[in-house]
Amino acid sequence: TAGIAASPSPRSPDCVLLERGDPGALAAVREGRAVVQDPASALVAPALDPNPGDLVVDLCAGPGGKAGHLAALGATVLAVEPQPGRARLVADTARRLQLEGRLHTVAADSRALPLVPGRADAALVDAPCSNLGSLRRRPEARWRHQPDEIEGLAALQLDLVRAAAEAVRPGGSIVYSVCTWTARETDGVVDAALATIPGLEPAPLGGPAGPGASRQLWPHRDDSDGLFLARLRKIV
């Protein structure tokens, strides 16, 4: 009806791909019936496979696209974001999508969650990373990181997974995602989590991202951001 050529995404059944134009100008986006998101990012919330009413903690929630997606799937989301400006963006997303009753925003250090240990049913760790997977859309991002930052990013990523594991109840799930493809930030973090955090095991990804326990998407092959995601289950 907007007169813009569009097609279904082959990666995510929730996505429509626009051939041109400003998606933010569409009535569906302005009215909160849709959000602007890369098809790879749209795989992350369904990969957690939350049940309606589940309490999900999103440890790095800004600007709110994935937290809003989780709430739209029926979860109650505690969106934790350490940067106050990005936390306000999450709250704005909740208002625009009319999800304020299910999406609650807190500005806090995600490594020290304002949550009773074992209280959450699931957790999302969409962690800070080198952002190499977004270069097709944000070529300037290549100047923001240096190779010697990878070790520090991986250490932070593992700390965030550890905080998520403490927050989740036995039987609950953690989805870890980063928009990059370095071995240290992807499989390396998952392997380190399994080796050092008691009670975790690989679990199949939910939704169209599955059925494996992890997946790496590539811009040249998947026509999406180069996103990595993996799912872990807390067994004790």
Side-chain angles (χ1 to χ4, degrees):
T1 59
I4 297 175
S7 60
S9 167
R11 301 294 160 224
S12 171
D14 294 333
C15 284
V16 173
L17 302 179
L18 305 187
E19 293 184 10
R20 65 184 185 278
D22 176 12
L26 294 176
V29 175
R30 294 197 310 269
E31 296 165 5
R33 295 182 285 112
V35 297
V36 182
Q37 196 171 46
D38 187 85
S41 295
L43 296 175
V44 175
L48 199 51
D49 197 21
N51 294 312
D54 276 358
L55 175 60
V56 178
V57 56
D58 184 347
L59 278 77
C60 305
K66 297 178 181 69
H69 198 170
L70 286 165
L73 291 173
T76 298
V77 182
L78 177 63
V80 182
E81 170 54 52
Q83 299 182 28
R86 288 172 65 84
R88 286 191 291 271
L89 291 176
V90 182
D92 290 343
T93 297
R95 284 191 292 271
R96 186 170 63 82
L97 301 182
Q98 300 180 41
L99 291 169
E100 293 171 283
R102 292 204 300 269
L103 176 50
H104 310 280
T105 308
V106 176
D109 187 340
S110 303
R111 293 165 295 184
L113 294 170
L115 189 69
V116 175
R119 175 69 179 83
D121 297 296
L124 171 60
V125 181
D126 185 44
C129 68
S130 55
N131 285 316
L132 297 177
S134 68
L135 291 184
R136 69 177 189 141
R137 292 184 298 105
R138 299 172 181 169
E140 75 281 0
R142 72 188 64 204
W143 309 117
R144 295 177 184 167
H145 295 287
Q146 298 297 322
D148 58 5
E149 296 179 16
I150 300 297
E151 284 301 313
L153 286 167
L156 171 61
Q157 292 153 3
L158 183 58
D159 284 345
L160 291 168
V161 175
R162 186 173 289 110
E166 183 176 348
V168 170
R169 61 169 174 78
S173 292
I174 300 166
V175 162
Y176 170 73
S177 65
V178 283
C179 193
T180 192
W181 49 67
T182 70
R184 187 68 182 86
E185 296 176 90
T186 55
D187 290 311
V189 169
V190 174
D191 291 344
L194 292 170
T196 63
I197 303 174
L200 292 184
E201 66 177 10
L205 292 162
S214 65
R215 183 174 177 183
Q216 176 72 64
L217 289 97
W218 299 95
H220 65 283
R221 188 177 67 193
D222 298 297
D223 193 24
S224 71
D225 283 352
L227 184 127
F228 172 87
L229 64 167
R231 189 181 184 190
L232 303 168
R233 182 181 292 114
K234 184 174 179 179
I235 53 177
V236 293

